[in-house]
Structure formats: structure tokens, C-alpha cells
Amino acid sequence: ETTSTRSLEQVLLDRGQALFTGRIDVVLGPWVGALHLSEGQIVDARVGPLSGEAALWRMLLPKAPRISVEPGRPRATGGAMLGRPDALLPRAAERLALLERVADNVGGLERVWAIRFDALQARLETLPDGIHPVLRLLDGKRAVRQVVAECPVDDVLALRILGKLLAEGILVLPDTATPEPVGGIIDVEGGLEEALT
């Protein structure tokens, strides 16, 4: 079964009640997260660099991600079992409420930001390297929720980075963004500093 119309929360509640055993895959941008369930209990969660509850919280962030469900044998795991979805989801809601409060500083989780390249270039040397994973996702199309979901850094840290970029005047609404540099789109994969020199 594959779906992109239901939230992961709904799918987990249904599978937990049905005592489902198998795997649930969740697409988050470049990553495919995996949840392994045994008789309705989540025994393992992994997405990108995250595992355990941090991975579960990240997979729950998108409203209707692409999800595929595959029944099968339970996966042996060396980690601690996470537990039943109906017990875990209230904690996930608390985490989301925290993220929403932090995201209010950058216009909320549904706000879309673009990069003002001249401001970025002017401040690049004073910005820490840790901002690069967040910069790569600011394309003027992704909402803050999606940027945080697809970012390899901690979700609260990603929101704080966005707040710093906004305070520095580097983030603008997409229709007010300055044109990209003459060389085209900055290739942040090849090193942001190198691309801007």
C-alpha cells in the first residue's frame, strides 16, 4: 500500500490497532525513513542521520508524506523498542507544539523563504559552516516545515539557523528575492564559499 493523502500519524494508529508487523517507509526529500513494527509496536525508526524517537518525530513532521507499507517479518533490533503508536504520538504532538513555538520566530511552519543572494554574499564569512545544510533547502518553494523535515541537523537547531538568517536579512519572501548571481544558481554542494568567490 502506498499513500500520500494520509498523515503518518493516521497510518501508525491504524497499524498499531491492527497489530501490524512489517515496515513503513516515509519519503522525506532525499531520504527514505523506515519504521519497523512488530505486532503493532514500533521497534525501530531511522531517517537520514537520525534514529529512535528523533527519527520518528522527524517523519511525523510533514502533513501528508509519501508512505508505503509492507507487511513482513519483524526486524531484529539492538536498540530499545520505542513502543505503541498510541503512547508515542502524544509525545510527538508535544514536540510539534515546541517546534511551532520556535517556528513563530520565522513566520511559522508554513512560511516559504528564499535567499537574498547579495545579503548572503556580504555576510558569508561571518556565518558558521553549520548553516549550509539549511541554505541548500531554501529554494523559495519549500515551506519551513519541509526545510526542517529534510535537514540533516536537529529540528530546533534548523529553526534557530533560519531565525539567524532572517535576522541577518538573508531570508526574504520568494517574490522579493534578488536575482541569482550571474553564474546561475549557487552550487552549495561544491562549497558555498567557493561558489560565491
Side-chain angles (χ1 to χ4, degrees), residues 7-197:
S7 69
L8 178 58
E9 182 177 355
Q10 292 169 320
V11 172
L12 284 174
L13 286 172
D14 290 350
R15 298 301 179 207
Q17 289 172 350
L19 302 180
F20 171 79
T21 295
R23 174 178 170 142
I24 299 174
D25 289 336
V26 182
V27 177
L28 291 182
W31 299 329
V32 178
L35 291 161
H36 294 272
L37 280 77
S38 178
E39 296 179 0
Q41 300 225 32
I42 302 172
V43 295
D44 193 26
R46 297 185 184 280
V47 62
L50 306 173
S51 62
E53 284 191 4
L56 176 60
W57 304 158
R58 187 66 61 92
M59 286 186 270
L60 285 164
L61 193 52
K63 287 186 175 176
R66 241 177 44 238
I67 299 170
S68 59
V69 179
E70 185 181 322
R73 290 190 343 206
R75 174 183 173 167
T77 177
M81 183 179 290
L82 295 178
R84 293 184 4 238
D86 59 349
L88 288 165
L89 291 172
R91 292 212 313 266
E94 290 172 13
R95 180 70 179 179
L96 180 59
L98 167 69
L99 292 180
E100 286 172 339
R101 285 195 303 275
V102 178
D104 283 344
N105 297 326
V106 293
L109 289 173
E110 306 314 319
R111 169 74 73 204
V112 175
W113 291 109
I115 294 173
R116 186 174 159 200
F117 289 99
D118 58 343
L120 175 61
Q121 189 165 10
R123 291 173 180 79
L124 194 61
E125 289 184 16
T126 64
L127 295 171
D129 288 343
I131 67 163
H132 292 211
V134 176
L135 282 173
R136 287 185 184 105
L137 297 167
L138 292 167
D139 57 4
K141 297 176 186 147
R142 289 179 174 95
V144 168
R145 178 187 298 273
Q146 191 177 355
V147 170
V148 172
E150 295 179 21
C151 190
V153 301
D154 175 77
D155 43 17
V156 173
L157 177 59
L159 288 168
R160 289 190 174 137
I161 290 170
L162 288 171
K164 177 164 180 59
L165 294 171
L166 183 61
E168 294 278 340
I170 293 168
L171 297 185
V172 292
L173 295 174
D175 56 352
T176 60
T178 56
E180 291 161 2
V182 175
I185 294 173
I186 294 176
D187 177 16
V188 289
E189 296 296 334
L192 197 56
E193 293 92 341
E194 188 180 316
L196 283 170
T197 54

